[in-house]
Amino acid sequence: MLDGLDHHAARALLEWQMELGATEAIGETPVNRYDLPAAAPAPALPAAPAAPVIPAGEDAGVGADPVVAARAAAQAAPDLATLAAALAAYDHCELKRGARNTVFADGRPGARIMIIGEAPGRDEDIQGLPFVGRAGRLLDRMFAAIDLARDAVDAESALYITNILPWRPPENRRPTAEECAMLLPFVERHVELAGPDLLVLMGNTPCSAILGRGGITRLRGNWVEALDRPALPMVHPAYLLRTPAAKREAWADLLSLKARLKEIA
Ligand code: URA
């Protein structure tokens, strides 16, 4: 037990940490970090682009409306690197405080297909990249079956991948409508700057956030227009891991995607 804390207080502290998204103890024994000698200064990192300058009159400060602040920050970004910096600097979403990393994107910017998922899970939070856990490995196998990959060098066979939320929700809970609305301006600008021909909306969350409609089992496989381009709702690979029988429909959707790519080549 921690010094001076009774069982109930210690348990409340632990529950609070779990609410913030802590899912594991890092070491076997507790470390009192106040007693450690001062750390050596970290080596200098290569300069990252600064967050964009918000035009005067568009208040993005702490008291600002979170959606207005997100829109101002996202719209001021002239390129993807600056958008990533603006997202990392955005301070209105509580999820950021419990996350290890801001998960921006993976794959090749400029790819003809951009996949939009829900939010990082544990593995994504640790690695700082979207779709790198079990569901991500299935996603890679699915798209490899139609000759598309996030590490392909040519835009023709490449994928670009992001999520509606860049921070892991505690215990992988579903993102709230408020969180999605807050981060949507970044996703909209992300799509604008990446400029894909087609979007894949992976699961219920991106459909609700972008189309304003849920019910992925009815939406899947039906092309819609979203963010100024054709978009295909598909069931999430995490659902396919739980429901292998749905893989047959997912395969039909992949073929539809491949055909659409050829059509608009
Ligand atoms: N599920 C998602 O929707 N996105 C990820 O990055 C990982 C799992």
Side-chain angles (χ1 to χ4, degrees):
M1 195 199 311
L2 293 168
D3 281 352
L5 278 184
D6 67 11
H7 165 82
H8 297 289
R11 188 185 167 105
L13 268 179
L14 193 59
E15 283 173 355
W16 174 69
Q17 289 184 27
M18 287 169 69
E19 227 170 80
L20 285 176
T23 50
E24 62 192 301
I26 300 295
E28 291 284 310
T29 48
V31 177
N32 184 349
R33 297 191 185 277
Y34 292 107
D35 279 352
L36 295 177
L45 291 171
V53 177
I54 314 295
E58 297 182 26
D59 179 12
V62 175
D65 176 293
V67 179
V68 173
R71 197 172 301 124
Q75 284 305 319
D79 52 45
L80 290 170
T82 318
L83 185 69
L87 186 57
Y90 179 76
D91 263 338
H92 294 264
C93 182
E94 280 300 311
L95 294 177
K96 181 178 173 181
R97 302 187 214 304
R100 287 180 171 96
N101 276 301
T102 299
V103 178
F104 183 65
D106 195 21
R108 187 190 195 285
R112 294 186 66 202
I113 295 190
M114 180 166 176
I115 298 173
I116 305 179
E118 178 175 301
R122 179 180 177 276
D123 296 308
E124 290 77 17
D125 182 41
I126 292 171
Q127 294 188 42
L129 292 169
F131 281 104
V132 290
R134 239 181 114 218
R137 287 194 289 279
L138 175 57
L139 178 141
D140 285 339
R141 289 201 302 277
M142 287 163 63
F143 283 86
I146 55 166
D147 304 316
L148 298 173
R150 64 173 98 190
D151 57 1
V153 283
D154 60 312
E156 202 57 33
S157 35
L159 293 172
Y160 187 58
I161 308 175
T162 190
N163 283 309
I164 294 290
L165 299 187
W167 299 295
R168 181 192 184 194
E171 294 174 57
N172 297 343
R173 69 154 166 75
R174 257 233 179 118
T176 64
E178 195 187 22
E179 288 160 352
C180 292
M182 194 188 292
L183 275 313
L184 188 60
F186 286 100
V187 178
E188 290 170 343
R189 185 71 180 142
H190 202 160
V191 171
E192 227 168 62
L193 291 171
D197 289 341
L198 303 175
L199 292 175
V200 173
L201 306 179
M202 207 50 112
N204 254 320
T205 297
C207 289
S208 304
I210 295 173
L211 306 177
R213 277 180 286 157
I216 189 65
T217 47
R218 263 174 294 113
L219 289 171
R220 65 136 284 275
N222 295 301
W223 284 93
V224 290
E225 190 73 9
L227 309 181
D228 298 325
R229 64 211 79 217
L232 182 65
M234 286 183 65
V235 295
H236 196 284
Y239 175 80
L240 295 177
L241 287 170
R242 296 191 299 271
T243 321
K247 284 185 182 169
R248 186 189 158 102
E249 291 165 345
W251 175 238
D253 297 346
L254 288 169
L255 293 179
S256 167
L257 191 63
K258 185 82 178 167
R260 192 71 176 244
L261 265 185
K262 277 207 183 118
E263 239 172 74
I264 58 168

